[in-house]
Amino acid sequence: AQTVTQSQPEMSVQEAETVTLSCTYDTSESDYYLFWYKQPPSRQMILVIRQEAYKQQNATENRFSVNFQKAAKSFSLKISDSQLGDAAMYFCAYRSALGRDDKIIFGKGTRLHILP
Amino acid sequence: GAGVSQTPSNKVTEKGKYVELRCDPISGHTALYWYRQSLGQGPEFLIYFQGTGAADDSGLPNDRFFAVRPEGSVSTLKIQRTERGDSAVYLCASSLSRGPYNEQFFGPGTRLTVL
């Protein structure tokens, strides 16, 4: 079975600084997708960034980028120029690209605080 | 356009009661997913539908949980004989179709509290 591990329950960063959230995962599959989701107090999960395992190039979305290390099964999220609106829970997640298994597997999350 | 909506936003019930949680997906989305998020945890998969049929219900914890989607649009998650351990946020998501290349769009969830 696939697992996703986030070892940092909480992190803090000064506004305008850069922060990196860590994530490791375990799978025996060769084809899959990895995601970072943001969950503000409104509870609605928002997709931040997506990485396809077969693509070697790291995904970027404006101030958000990932460091995908497939051999190490590591998938960290870097947030540059942190803003107050970035404060939220961040979940790393896995989704198989094979067969009928279509669920998303989430880590336990990292709560990110932005210090003004 | 309208996103995924869930009703009620909050539900408080007593142990042993029956509850229904409703999910309205984005119009035209054929795939619909239910997840449960306990306090301090990430969401955990319960069940997903492709059209009217349940394609995978492997995440339902026991036979007290049941979900339907009779017309391939709105879905209802039903919990019988509720227990305190059922207290959680129940999230619904929909996507254009099944498959990892189709983004799942999440609703705001229903917070269920069982007293």
Side-chain angles (χ1 to χ4, degrees):
Chain A
Q2 298 84 22
T3 59
V4 176
T5 303
Q6 294 178 252
S7 57
Q8 305 154 316
E10 289 195 58
M11 291 195 71
S12 296
V13 63
Q14 209 74 34
E15 193 177 2
E17 296 295 308
T18 295
V19 64
T20 298
L21 308 184
S22 301
C23 172
T24 59
Y25 62 94
D26 192 26
T27 183
S28 58
E29 296 177 336
S30 58
D31 197 10
Y32 50 88
Y33 290 70
L34 297 167
F35 308 89
W36 279 97
Y37 282 89
K38 172 184 178 180
Q39 188 179 41
S42 66
R43 300 195 305 239
Q44 193 150 6
M45 301 287 279
I46 302 165
L47 179 63
V48 174
I49 198 164
R50 174 169 75 175
Q51 175 78 42
E52 297 165 68
Y54 65 86
K55 289 188 176 178
Q56 292 187 339
Q57 186 172 7
N58 289 323
T60 62
E61 286 288 341
N62 301 314
R63 297 182 296 108
F64 299 87
S65 62
V66 297
N67 183 2
F68 174 47
Q69 302 289 327
K70 191 173 185 179
K73 294 179 180 171
S74 169
F75 183 62
S76 62
L77 174 70
K78 184 171 83 171
I79 306 174
S80 304
D81 185 26
S82 298
Q83 300 176 0
L84 294 177
D86 295 334
M89 284 292 291
Y90 286 81
F91 292 95
C92 179
Y94 172 102
R95 193 172 177 186
S96 174
L98 305 172
R100 66 186 285 270
D101 190 355
D102 202 28
K103 58 181 177 283
I104 298 176
I105 299 168
F106 291 87
K108 289 189 174 183
T110 296
R111 183 173 299 281
L112 179 63
H113 302 278
I114 309 296
L115 306 174
Chain B
V4 178
S5 62
Q6 293 186 245
T7 53
S9 178
N10 293 282
K11 175 72 177 177
V12 180
T13 191
E14 294 179 343
K15 180 176 179 294
K17 299 289 188 182
Y18 167 83
V19 296
E20 290 188 351
L21 311 179
R22 177 187 167 108
C23 173
D24 283 81
I26 294 171
S27 178
H29 280 195
T30 63
L32 185 146
Y33 307 78
W34 284 99
Y35 295 83
R36 178 169 72 173
Q37 186 174 17
S38 301
L39 192 62
Q41 304 292 319
E44 293 179 309
F45 170 79
L46 295 176
I47 184 172
Y48 93 86
F49 293 86
Q50 177 60 46
T52 60
D56 182 356
D57 64 358
S58 62
L60 295 178
N62 51 61
D63 61 6
R64 295 186 298 105
F65 288 75
F66 189 71
V68 296
R69 195 186 185 201
E71 297 178 358
S73 179
V74 171
S75 176
T76 305
L77 179 65
K78 308 181 181 193
I79 310 174
Q80 298 178 324
R81 305 183 303 280
T82 52
E83 300 178 356
R84 292 194 180 88
D86 299 335
S87 295
V89 173
Y90 289 81
L91 295 169
C92 176
S94 71
S95 66
L96 200 57
S97 183
R98 67 172 301 276
Y101 35 83
N102 289 306
E103 181 180 347
Q104 291 186 19
F105 295 87
F106 285 80
T110 293
R111 181 180 299 281
L112 175 66
T113 303
V114 182
L115 301 176

